[in-house]
Amino acid sequence: MPPISRPRGTEDLLPARLAAMAGAVAAGMRIANSFGYREIATPIFESTELFVRGVGDTTDVVRREMYTFPDRSGRSLTLRPENTAPVLRAFGESSLRELPPPVRLSYAGPMFRYDRPGRGRYRQFHQFGVEAIGDAEAELDAEVIAVAWDWLADLGLGGISLQLNSIGDAQCRPAFRQALLDHFAPHLAQLPELDRERLARNPLRILDSKDPDTEELLATVPRTRDFLCPECRDAFERVQLALRAYRIPFQINDRLVRGLDYYVRTTFEVWHEDLQGAQNALFGGGRYDGLSELLGYPAAPGVGFAAGLERVVMLAPPPVPLAPPQVVVCSAQETAVGLAVDLAQRLRRDGLAVICDVGRRSLKGKMRAAERSGAGAVAILGEDEVKSQRVTLRRLSTGDQVALRLAEASGQVREWAEASATEGQL
Ligand code: HAM
């Protein structure tokens, strides 16, 4: 029988990568918290309707990329493809909406999209994100960008650029949409099938096209910022002013429309120079003032971003390698198993990382394994040690060996560890 392998587009996060990802999340949470954001966790599956209404049924995410299934009672559920709609639902449904706005929330966890797998693109991937809900002030847009920006700086990630745009609102977007349609109307025959479909379904998405024929026509396309109503124009100015106050450089990108339907006004992405094509965004976000009502809740304007953790970790400098265990406790005889387990537990309670090797193989084999583990010391317990209630402790880097009372073992291991650290510095 062929071995069973993981589903296409998924990844096993092996310890080193998982530690890098957890470290990136911890840094993000810490920085978000310094701006007043607190962590929230919502279910990994939601009712399908949440995304159909929230993200929009003309988007690629909803039309082609959702993992949707009926549960045993016939309800249609979907593995969340993103977390803005779920967080807004949780906000609307809970006591959070009684707090003074804006309510600042952060999150991290797996998302699911049936996308074509590739470099930095998975079917199960992880996001870290924040949402600031209940406040329409444009300065808040700059604040969420500042959280992301400080986080990437903390991770030591360079080579990034902030792309910024405003796509207007329900008042001014129809005129822009019409201008786009008028621009492309004489050239429909020149457009590839997919872009013709986009133009019919969701004209703004054509600005995202990577097709060379469409690109040619996009060179002279109308710009969203020329169509903004006075309120949207004012908001866009204020976002830029606040970004300058945070000293965050940005590029205005007239073609940045984003793939989710809930955005109004500010949209942004952070790109990295090493990410190419459709996967160049480390994170994306924007304002979504009408989303709460679309979900059936009272109005709650908001803004947020989400970053792809796989992409962030792929580009960030490698984190400190995982620390090896400090001690390996070995039993040399079966009669010593009890004492070995007791000692290992005592050392762990003293704050050391301990591997307990009490199997039946030879002490020689155990010593070899201890050396390979990268541990600093081995604690050996045989018949003599059981009788004397002492432990033989060997420092692996030098071969030094001492017999100690059990209670003294932690102190000795620490002393050796400190000595090694100082020797390493010399
Ligand atoms: P999004 O642009 O769809 O926005 O996703 C945000 C980030 O998730 C992307 O920039 C990318 O780094 C990562 N990402 C998306 N799809 C994949 C994939 N298939 N594999 C790996 N990484 C991926 C949102 O999800 C919005 N909810 C962001 C937001 C928050 N807007 C307002 N608040």
Side-chain angles (χ1 to χ4, degrees):
M1 268 197 297
I4 297 166
S5 46
R6 60 176 190 270
R8 191 165 134 75
T10 65
E11 241 196 337
D12 296 310
L13 295 170
L14 305 184
R17 220 161 117 72
L18 186 60
M21 220 179 251
V25 171
M29 291 292 178
R30 181 169 44 74
I31 284 163
N33 193 245
S34 76
F35 283 76
Y37 290 75
R38 291 182 305 157
E39 188 176 356
I40 184 172
T42 55
I44 279 170
F45 59 84
E46 295 274 358
S47 63
T48 302
E49 194 59 18
L50 176 69
F51 302 109
V52 173
R53 277 208 253 159
V55 173
D57 55 6
T58 64
T59 59
D60 284 353
V61 169
V62 169
R63 281 163 45 82
R64 285 194 270 269
E65 297 176 2
M66 295 209 299
Y67 281 91
T68 296
F69 55 96
D71 74 1
R72 284 173 188 273
S73 64
R75 278 185 206 96
S76 181
L77 298 176
T78 291
L79 298 182
R80 61 182 185 192
E82 65 98 51
N83 209 26
T84 305
V87 168
L88 258 250
R89 177 202 51 66
F91 174 86
E93 232 183 320
S94 70
S95 56
L96 288 174
R97 65 162 198 250
E98 279 135 41
L99 297 174
V103 174
R104 295 177 165 88
L105 300 168
S106 55
Y107 53 82
M111 309 291 154
F112 307 84
R113 293 184 193 177
Y114 189 81
D115 210 342
R116 194 165 43 78
R119 183 170 181 259
R121 195 168 51 205
Y122 301 91
R123 290 182 173 171
Q124 175 176 335
F125 59 99
H126 297 78
Q127 285 185 344
F128 166 74
V130 307
E131 312 292 347
I133 307 168
D135 187 335
E137 300 289 340
E139 286 71 22
L140 205 53
D141 306 17
E143 178 185 288
V144 302
I145 294 174
V147 173
W149 201 255
D150 282 4
W151 175 49
L152 295 184
D154 187 79
L155 295 177
L157 219 147
I160 52 178
S161 71
L162 171 62
Q163 308 285 311
L164 186 73
N165 195 15
S166 171
I167 58 168
D169 63 6
Q171 241 192 88
C172 51
R173 205 180 305 157
F176 177 64
R177 192 179 291 131
Q178 192 53 52
L180 271 182
L181 292 173
D182 294 346
H183 177 78
F184 283 101
H187 311 284
L188 286 183
Q190 196 183 324
L191 294 178
E193 176 70 34
L194 181 67
D195 285 341
R196 265 207 304 273
E197 194 191 307
R198 276 174 162 157
L199 211 53
R201 216 185 295 277
N202 192 350
L204 258 65
R205 294 294 297 165
I206 202 165
L207 297 175
D208 257 357
S209 175
K210 304 283 184 291
D211 183 273
D213 287 335
T214 312
E215 288 249 6
E216 215 181 289
L217 294 168
L218 282 171
T220 51
V221 85
R223 305 185 313 180
T224 47
R225 63 178 136 148
D226 295 333
F227 286 80
L228 297 181
C229 59
E231 293 78 17
C232 287
R233 202 173 319 125
D234 176 56
F236 198 35
E237 293 288 325
R238 282 165 57 198
V239 175
Q240 294 176 53
L241 210 63
L243 283 173
R244 289 194 189 98
Y246 278 110
R247 296 192 170 73
I248 299 175
F250 57 88
Q251 279 168 15
I252 295 192
N253 181 338
D254 294 307
R255 285 174 54 185
L256 190 78
V257 287
R258 311 264 307 130
L260 313 164
D261 270 358
Y262 48 62
Y263 291 115
V264 291
R265 297 190 174 165
T266 313
T267 54
F268 59 86
E269 284 184 356
V270 165
W271 292 355
H272 190 277
E273 59 195 14
D274 289 353
L275 291 173
Q276 292 301 320
Q279 294 92 266
N280 59 359
L282 271 180
F283 66 72
R287 182 159 274 288
Y288 44 80
D289 292 350
L291 176 56
S292 183
E293 289 118 301
L294 277 180
L295 304 180
Y297 293 102
V303 60
F305 80 83
L309 283 166
E310 281 77 5
R311 298 183 192 177
V312 167
V313 166
M314 179 167 81
L315 298 165
V320 193
L322 289 184
Q326 288 155 304
V327 198
V328 177
V329 176
C330 299
S331 58
Q333 262 99 25
E334 256 179 75
T335 48
V337 169
L339 193 63
V341 168
D342 280 350
L343 176 66
Q345 288 293 71
R346 178 198 288 254
L347 296 174
R348 290 180 186 125
R349 279 195 291 268
D350 286 345
L352 296 175
V354 183
I355 285 180
C356 187
D357 192 352
V358 291
R360 285 193 180 165
R361 68 179 160 161
S362 69
L363 182 61
K364 212 164 138 196
K366 290 179 182 177
M367 293 300 287
R368 260 204 304 273
E371 271 159 30
R372 271 209 310 270
S373 76
V378 185
I380 305 160
L381 294 156
E383 220 151 295
D384 293 346
E385 284 83 2
V386 173
K387 273 193 211 121
S388 61
Q389 290 291 296
R390 293 170 88 84
V391 55
T392 301
L393 210 58
R394 180 185 296 181
R395 185 180 181 189
L396 283 169
S397 58
T398 58
D400 293 348
Q401 200 159 297
V402 283
L404 296 170
R405 281 188 293 123
L406 298 175
E408 292 165 342
S410 308
Q412 183 64 73
V413 172
R414 278 217 181 81
E415 204 175 292
W416 283 342
E418 277 160 26
S420 303
T422 325
E423 284 154 19
Q425 279 161 17
L426 288 176

